[in-house]
Amino acid sequence: MEMGEVPPPALVSADVEEILSTCALCLGNVVATCNLPTWSAAPAAATVAMITKMQGGNNAVVENGLQLFWWELVSMLNPLASSNNSNDKSHVTSVMLSLLRSQPESLTLVDSPTLDRLFSLLQQQSENNENANNTALVQMHSHIISMLGVLCSEEQQSQHSAAIDARVCRALLERLRSAMTLANTENVNDNGSVIITHEILNVLMDIYGGDDCHEEVFAREDVLGHFQRCLPGYKRRVKKVATA
């Protein structure tokens, strides 16, 4: 929340959250079941202008329903168009994840500025620096981690360069290190740290578990070393959460 903003009453916030959750669920079903590339698109001029600005001045191409859905969602992550409210962004990233998983053509729409924004959101911390206690923030991070996994999974190895693979790997490892650091902070619930660590480990194994992975990135970024260093603490946190 920005400085000077007055928080809405709890009842209002709960109602808004329920509406956003329902909308995200409906949109997730739409992108998972509809043939969006065949839909015609007529984006609002403001949306095209926002996307163009986000693209560094490059003209936004919106020719069908798939592109319209994607760029509308991306525009909602733009800091110029939205607040730092992780509740909102957790729903947006949920729909984006459904889109990437169910519409293969959408993978080609993920450009460098969008990746940079996802990386930035992945490192975002709650105002009190207690990420693990912020359910919406943990959900948003989980969605982003899964999106990065979809983009760089074994099936997509031939579609992205080693440079992109390295950028994704570094972002995931940075978030893994922050989850480990947070877990050592006093008075912090371990649930969020366990969830994030679990998601990152799964994604990294998906990315580097096949024969056609970017092995040079795996070695250079010391992925195995990160696994070895995080697993003892991760096991302790899992046991702690399981017995809580």
Side-chain angles (χ1 to χ4, degrees), residues 93 97 101 122 135-148 175 192 195-196 199 203:
T93 52
L97 177 58
R101 283 175 168 168
L122 185 58
T135 301
L137 190 63
V138 170
Q139 289 176 340
M140 180 184 73
H141 286 177
S142 296
H143 297 152
I144 293 173
I145 291 164
S146 296
M147 279 194 278
L148 297 178
R175 185 62 183 89
I195 292 171
I196 294 301
E199 293 290 340
V203 165

Side-chain angles (χ1 to χ4, degrees), residues 131-133 138 175 179 182 189-197 241:
N131 295 40
N133 291 328
V138 170
R175 185 62 183 89
L182 182 67
N189 190 299
D190 289 304
N191 289 359
S193 174
V194 167
I195 292 171
I196 294 301
T197 302
V241 170

Side-chain angles (χ1 to χ4, degrees), residues 169 208 213-226:
C169 182
Y208 298 109
C213 68
H214 291 284
E215 294 182 2
E216 71 281 10
V217 175
F218 180 86
R220 185 172 63 247
E221 302 299 332
D222 190 28
V223 177
L224 180 58
H226 280 78

Side-chain angles (χ1 to χ4, degrees), residues 5 49 55 69 89 100 102 109 118 135 164 167 169 172 197 212 231 237 240:
E5 289 186 4
Q55 298 281 87
F69 258 87
K89 291 182 173 61
L100 290 175
S102 57
L109 300 176
L118 292 176
T135 301
I164 294 296
R167 290 177 63 194
C169 182
L172 291 172
T197 302
D212 298 325
L231 284 178
R237 296 197 300 277
K240 182 179 178 181

Side-chain angles (χ1 to χ4, degrees), residues 30 62 72 77 105 123 138 141-142 146 174 199 241:
V30 168
V62 183
E72 287 278 10
L77 299 182
E105 294 181 33
Q123 308 308 328
V138 170
H141 286 177
S142 296
S146 296
E174 182 177 354
E199 293 290 340
V241 170

Side-chain angles (χ1 to χ4, degrees), residues 35-49:
N35 190 6
L36 296 181
T38 65
W39 290 16
S40 60
T47 299
V48 176

Side-chain angles (χ1 to χ4, degrees), residues 96-108:
M96 292 176 73
L97 177 58
S98 296
L99 191 63
L100 290 175
R101 283 175 168 168
S102 57
Q103 302 282 345
E105 294 181 33
S106 64
L107 296 172
T108 63

